[in-house]
Amino acid sequence: MQTIKLEIEDSKVDIVLNIIQNLKDNIITKYEIVSEIKENQDFINISEKSLEKIWDNQEDSIYDKFLKV
C-alpha cells in the first residue's frame, strides 16, 4: 500500500473531495482531511508534558514569584 499526501488550497478542497468520491470502488481505501491547525495542535499536545517537566520544577521555583501577576 502507498500513501500520497496532497497540499490543497482551502478553496479547492471540495473539488478534490468530489474527485476522490467519484473514483471507482477499491481504488482508495481511506482518506483523511488534516488541516494545519490540527497538526499544530497535535504537536503542542505531544510536546506539552515534556516541556512541563523542563519549566515546572523545583530548580526554577525561586523565580516563580516574579512571574505571578
Side-chain angles (χ1 to χ4, degrees), residues 27-42:
I27 291 179
I28 295 178
T29 56
K30 175 186 170 189
Y31 67 92
E32 177 181 1
I33 301 171
V34 179
S35 70
E36 290 180 10
I37 295 170
K38 182 184 181 309
E39 289 175 349
N40 289 343
Q41 188 60 45
D42 288 345

Side-chain angles (χ1 to χ4, degrees), residues 5-42:
K5 180 178 179 179
L6 305 171
E7 291 187 18
I8 304 164
E9 292 179 33
D10 290 341
S11 62
K12 312 252 176 171
V13 170
D14 288 338
I15 296 168
V16 174
L17 284 176
N18 191 28
I19 293 169
I20 290 171
Q21 290 169 348
N22 287 316
L23 289 173
K24 290 183 179 179
D25 292 338
N26 299 325
I27 291 179
I28 295 178
T29 56
K30 175 186 170 189
Y31 67 92
E32 177 181 1
I33 301 171
V34 179
S35 70
E36 290 180 10
I37 295 170
K38 182 184 181 309
E39 289 175 349
N40 289 343
Q41 188 60 45
D42 288 345

